[in-house]
Amino acid sequence: MLSAKKILPLLMAAIVSVVNMACSNGEDHSPVVGTYADSAIFSAGAVKDYPRMLLLVDSFEAAGNISALDANRWRGAAYYRQNQYRPAEVYFRKALEGDIKTEQDQVSYIKAARRLSEILLVKGDYEGSIQIAIPAVKRMEELGIGSDIDYAILLNNIGCCQINLGRDEEAHESFIIARGHYINRWSTDSTGRGFQEAVIGTVYTSQAYINTRRYAEAVYWINRTEMLLNLYREKPDARIEYFDEYKGRIEIMRAVAQMGLEHLDSAAMAYDAFLQTDYSKTSAGRINANDYLMAAGRYVEAADNYRYLNQMLDEHDIERSLDNIQLYLLPKLRANVAAGRRDSVMELSGIVCDAVDSAIVKSKNDETAELATVFETGQKDARIAQQQAQMSTQRFITTLIALGLVVAFFSIFVFFRLRSSKRLAHAHGRLEEAHQKLQTAYDQLEQATKAKERIESELRIARDIQISMVPNIFPDREGLDIHASMTAAKEVGGDLYGYLLEGDMLYFCIGDVSGKGVPASLFMAQATRLFRTMAAQHLMPAEITQRINDALTEDNEQGMFVTMFIGLINLKTGRMDFCNAGHNPPVIGSRNADERNYTFLEMQSNAPIGLWPGLEFEGEFIENIKGCPFVAYTDGLTEAENNEQEQFGEDRLLNLLQSTRFENAEHADKALKAEVEKFREGAEPNDDLTILCLQVK
């Protein structure tokens, strides 16, 4: 019997695919280079005149106005837009086999690869999809062609395939790179289109993690999808109905993910939020809601929702094919069985049998028509069509057998359940106690395993975010020596540092977030991103501190805060403007290196960032720090403890700096960390440790 967990990935992939095609109308039809031929084909596709579109493709190819590769790409696009994926797949493959001679051919190759990889992904052919997408991305990188949306969708397809193939780390990297291209896309578009495309991509990503039961990662991407959707809503051309629909889809995904994490209250809250949308009252919304209702064991509600299935199929023009019988009718049958509706089950069993018979007849007719269409393109196409027909026949036979077994099972199941329920009641009572003990032991083991996997997954995500947010390459510029490092006390930490060098102006910062672990890491990521954004606007340190505080205090329900030291050095004059927000005082040395005289920098005592909105931060400056070594650090240095709980202390720090000659900033950084490690004598670190050393020669 097909379980809901096996049907769910297919169902959601089909629904997301339909939405993706609807929202990307015209993407594959856009002229590549701007020729008259491409414009004419595009215009026909834009008004959905697909017979004329195919006629124009044939005519322009015969006249030599477009290449064979470009023509096959357009043919594939025409069939794709008509939801005829089998001929679309044939023509997209022909396009990829064609000779690439022009710039237009290069871009058409990318478009064909992008659509073909998407078709194969939705079919569940993950190996096939990834084998199409990866060479296309490499070609784009080598030749510098393709748009950000081409990059993003191809990389997203690759990530979805990798996660389904168990290659988690590679998938995460693909999704992160895709995210960067989505950012490039919407940052150059004044409309909401870029955010729509990014929402669809992150929906794919979220669903891939849900389908593979990686619920913690799914929650991360679901939250990101919600953030993108909120940004879309702020655009002048944003459509209320689009926002409402995707708000509903996001809440259902969140409810399913929270159920997978066994956060039952959070799952119920997400479902309640879904019910507040207009989308929840549509036929498609009611069918989508069953993903959560079935997982939550609310079978009666799910069975009630399936009363809207025919309406949804008719509204979206979804035919009763074998695949769609498997995707829609069988889950409806299962919901009614679970709800104990015997009459409905028997009626549905007959409907499924009739639908299977009609679908087989229609599939054979469609297959004959498609075969004839492809035969017209030549003997090579005929061989491809023959192979497709053979594969389709095998698939139909296999699907028919599976459907027959499912229907037979449901019928027999209902019959015997009613007949034997009384006879089994007594035996069930005797077995219940033993079963309960076994189930309790099993549940405890499963919960412990899930908790461990969830924690490891969350830490991996946080670690990746944290590493990507701090620089590990420092500028190689004459007269400037800078180096920094961060060592987390746990798997992830809350320390941060960063710099931005533009011309003769060097911005730098160091900070320490309250708390440790994943929450501190994510708060640290926000602070780092805000620093780079504000520094890029060439603001003074005090104003940067003010704006970061305003941003971080908003919706800061957990009351987290961060101490920061933000500096701006003019490398020509040596002037350093700075603002200290509750951070440890840095150490500054004298210009005469032989004296090795170090003192703590005297500063104003501003409050940490994130405590209260509207705080005023006072900035200060040093007229000239050229030649003066500068060391900033977090309290993981001075408060490091040994086995006797003695702290490293500020005096020991000054003595070490004054007694050691450092070759450069990197040497000073490593020497300080080594001295702290030696001082601890094997004791576990009690806090994150970050050091930033610099000197303007």
Side-chain angles (χ1 to χ4, degrees):
M1 180 177 69
L2 293 176
S3 68
K5 293 180 180 177
K6 292 183 179 178
I7 292 173
L8 175 61
L10 299 174
L11 174 60
M12 287 307 299
I15 291 175
V16 174
S17 178
V18 171
V19 175
N20 187 36
M21 288 181 283
C23 293
S24 59
N25 185 17
E27 171 62 29
D28 262 357
H29 296 178
S30 57
V32 179
V33 176
T35 66
Y36 168 78
D38 284 292
S39 298
I41 297 170
F42 167 74
S43 298
V47 296
K48 300 183 179 181
D49 189 352
Y50 300 116
R52 174 173 172 74
M53 183 181 178
L54 291 168
L55 181 62
L56 288 173
V57 172
D58 294 339
S59 300
F60 286 132
E61 182 184 20
N65 298 119
I66 59 176
S67 67
L69 187 155
D70 199 26
N72 284 320
R73 195 276 284 200
W74 282 119
R75 292 186 184 105
Y79 284 112
Y80 184 93
R81 293 295 302 143
Q82 299 175 79
N83 299 336
Q84 297 181 28
Y85 301 127
R86 289 163 61 192
E89 180 179 344
V90 170
Y91 284 115
F92 283 141
R93 287 191 186 277
K94 284 175 61 63
L96 299 185
E97 293 171 359
D99 295 330
I100 300 176
K101 299 179 180 179
T102 65
E103 179 185 353
Q104 182 172 342
D105 287 343
Q106 294 281 12
V107 180
S108 289
Y109 172 92
I110 299 302
K111 299 289 186 184
R114 182 184 128 190
R115 282 305 188 196
L116 180 56
S117 71
E118 183 177 296
I119 291 173
L120 296 176
L121 169 62
V122 172
K123 285 171 56 177
D125 183 3
Y126 306 122
E127 290 286 358
S129 177
I130 207 169
Q131 288 172 4
I132 295 296
I134 287 179
V137 171
K138 289 183 178 179
R139 181 182 292 273
M140 294 169 71
E141 292 173 344
E142 292 171 357
L143 300 179
I145 60 174
S147 64
D148 278 304
I149 193 60
D150 289 330
Y151 263 114
I153 293 178
L154 278 167
L155 287 164
N156 220 65
N157 290 347
I158 291 171
C160 289
C161 292
Q162 289 168 331
I163 198 66
N164 280 283
L165 293 171
R167 293 151 61 177
D168 294 7
E169 293 185 2
E170 296 175 50
H172 181 65
E173 182 179 358
S174 297
F175 290 141
I176 292 298
I177 299 174
R179 182 179 68 181
H181 287 289
Y182 280 125
I183 293 173
N184 292 340
R185 169 70 173 90
W186 80 60
S187 63
T188 57
D189 188 353
S190 60
T191 71
R193 178 65 180 274
F195 287 105
Q196 284 183 289
E197 293 162 344
V199 166
I200 293 169
T202 49
V203 164
Y204 263 112
T205 303
S206 303
Q207 195 60 50
Y209 279 115
I210 289 175
N211 292 346
T212 53
R213 303 183 185 181
R214 292 160 172 81
Y215 299 115
E217 290 93 333
V219 169
Y220 167 77
W221 286 102
I222 290 167
N223 290 339
R224 179 162 186 81
T225 306
E226 184 176 41
M227 180 271 289
L228 293 170
L229 187 63
N230 288 332
L231 292 174
Y232 165 76
R233 183 173 58 175
E234 298 174 2
K235 290 294 183 178
D237 61 335
R239 294 186 294 112
I240 297 300
E241 62 274 15
Y242 177 90
F243 174 84
D244 179 82
E245 176 180 346
Y246 272 85
K247 173 64 175 174
R249 292 182 180 277
I250 287 169
E251 295 302 341
I252 284 297
M253 288 194 300
R254 178 178 287 121
V256 173
Q258 293 293 350
M259 281 296 299
L261 294 171
E262 298 183 358
H263 298 163
L264 306 186
D265 291 341
S266 298
M269 289 176 60
Y271 183 67
D272 288 341
F274 161 78
L275 294 177
Q276 301 305 310
T277 66
D278 292 335
Y279 173 68
S280 69
K281 301 172 182 62
T282 65
S283 59
R286 293 177 188 274
I287 302 305
N288 196 4
N290 284 349
D291 296 336
Y292 164 72
L293 293 175
M294 292 297 288
R298 296 163 66 169
Y299 303 120
V300 173
E301 294 174 71
D304 289 341
N305 276 349
Y306 272 119
R307 292 181 299 179
Y308 296 87
L309 178 59
N310 288 337
Q311 179 182 340
M312 190 272 288
L313 296 176
D314 293 338
E315 288 176 352
H316 293 84
D317 196 23
I318 299 175
E319 63 181 8
R320 274 66 167 177
S321 65
L322 288 175
D323 287 340
N324 289 332
I325 291 170
Q326 183 184 37
L327 293 176
Y328 300 110
L329 290 183
L330 291 186
K332 180 177 181 178
L333 190 58
R334 179 180 181 273
N336 279 274
V337 169
R341 296 179 175 176
R342 180 182 59 179
D343 294 340
S344 297
V345 170
M346 300 305 295
E347 180 184 358
L348 278 170
S349 297
I351 292 173
V352 170
C353 290
D354 293 340
V356 168
D357 183 65
S358 300
I360 291 174
V361 173
K362 188 178 186 305
S363 296
K364 290 180 178 178
N365 293 336
D366 291 346
E367 189 174 88
T368 301
E370 291 172 7
L371 189 61
T373 300
V374 180
F375 257 105
E376 295 175 0
T377 65
Q379 293 182 352
K380 183 178 179 181
D381 296 342
R383 289 196 299 271
I384 295 174
Q386 185 177 11
Q387 293 173 0
Q388 293 291 327
Q390 291 173 349
M391 292 173 63
S392 298
T393 300
Q394 294 174 359
R395 186 172 71 248
F396 289 143
I397 293 172
T398 302
T399 305
L400 177 59
I401 293 172
L403 289 173
L405 290 173
V406 169
V407 173
F409 174 82
F410 277 134
S411 300
I412 295 171
F413 172 76
V414 172
F415 175 75
F416 278 102
R417 190 177 74 169
L418 294 173
R419 184 178 178 182
S420 61
S421 58
K422 293 182 179 180
R423 187 176 57 193
L424 292 175
H426 180 66
H428 175 75
R430 294 171 58 186
L431 292 173
E432 182 65 28
E433 184 178 355
H435 170 75
Q436 188 61 42
K437 292 181 180 179
L438 179 61
Q439 185 65 44
T440 300
Y442 174 79
D443 289 345
Q444 291 174 345
L445 176 61
E446 187 177 29
Q447 289 174 3
T449 302
K450 286 183 178 179
K452 182 176 182 295
E453 291 176 351
R454 183 166 64 250
I455 292 171
E456 291 175 350
S457 174
E458 291 175 350
L459 292 176
R460 182 170 64 251
I461 293 171
R463 185 185 303 111
D464 291 342
I465 294 172
Q466 190 169 30
I467 292 174
S468 67
M469 294 299 293
V470 297
N472 53 23
I473 299 176
F474 300 93
D476 183 11
R477 171 168 174 162
E478 184 177 357
L480 173 63
D481 183 15
I482 181 173
H483 191 274
S485 66
M486 178 176 64
T487 305
K490 303 297 182 183
E491 287 81 354
V492 292
D495 280 5
L496 63 96
Y497 69 86
Y499 76 87
L500 178 66
L501 177 60
E502 291 193 354
D504 294 319
M505 309 305 290
L506 172 67
Y507 286 89
F508 67 93
C509 75
I510 187 171
D512 185 0
V513 177
S514 60
K516 302 179 182 64
V518 174
S521 174
L522 296 177
F523 202 76
M524 160 266 178
Q526 287 183 287
T528 304
R529 175 180 57 81
L530 289 168
F531 162 74
R532 291 188 60 83
T533 301
M534 302 306 174
Q537 299 177 24
H538 301 160
L539 304 177
M540 295 300 289
E543 187 173 359
I544 292 175
T545 309
Q546 177 75 48
R547 294 196 181 189
I548 294 177
N549 181 73
D550 292 341
L552 292 182
T553 52
E554 184 177 354
D555 297 328
N556 184 11
E557 297 179 358
Q558 296 183 345
M560 300 187 71
F561 62 88
V562 55
T563 67
M564 287 186 74
F565 181 94
I566 300 176
L568 167 60
I569 300 178
N570 186 320
L571 299 181
K572 278 189 175 182
T573 66
R575 177 186 171 104
M576 182 177 78
D577 291 275
F578 63 90
C579 180
N580 183 60
H583 197 70
N584 304 76
V587 178
I588 187 169
S590 62
R591 288 188 175 83
N592 188 340
D594 293 332
E595 292 181 2
R596 302 183 200 168
N597 184 23
Y598 288 84
T599 58
F600 289 104
L601 184 62
E602 295 184 1
M603 304 172 297
Q604 294 291 334
S605 57
N606 292 309
I609 295 171
L611 291 177
W612 304 281
L615 285 177
E616 296 292 336
F617 293 87
E618 184 174 350
E620 303 173 75
F621 72 93
I622 297 176
E623 191 64 40
N624 186 2
I625 69 163
K626 283 190 174 182
C628 300
F630 185 87
V631 180
Y633 56 92
T634 60
D635 54 15
L637 191 156
T638 53
E639 296 180 8
E641 296 181 350
N642 57 19
N643 290 315
E644 286 73 35
Q645 297 186 337
E646 178 187 4
Q647 292 190 346
F648 190 84
E650 296 179 347
D651 292 340
R652 187 176 276 102
L653 172 61
L654 287 180
N655 292 336
L656 176 61
L657 292 171
Q658 291 169 354
S659 62
T660 307
R661 177 180 293 276
F662 301 109
E663 299 175 3
N664 50 42
E666 182 177 5
H667 178 225
D669 178 12
K670 292 182 178 179
L672 288 172
K673 288 195 297 184
E675 194 67 25
V676 171
E677 187 70 23
K678 178 181 177 182
F679 172 79
R680 281 205 303 262
E681 298 177 336
E684 288 293 326
N686 59 319
D687 202 353
D688 307 327
L689 171 59
T690 300
I691 299 174
L692 184 148
C693 303
L694 67 84
Q695 186 175 22
V696 180
K697 301 295 179 65

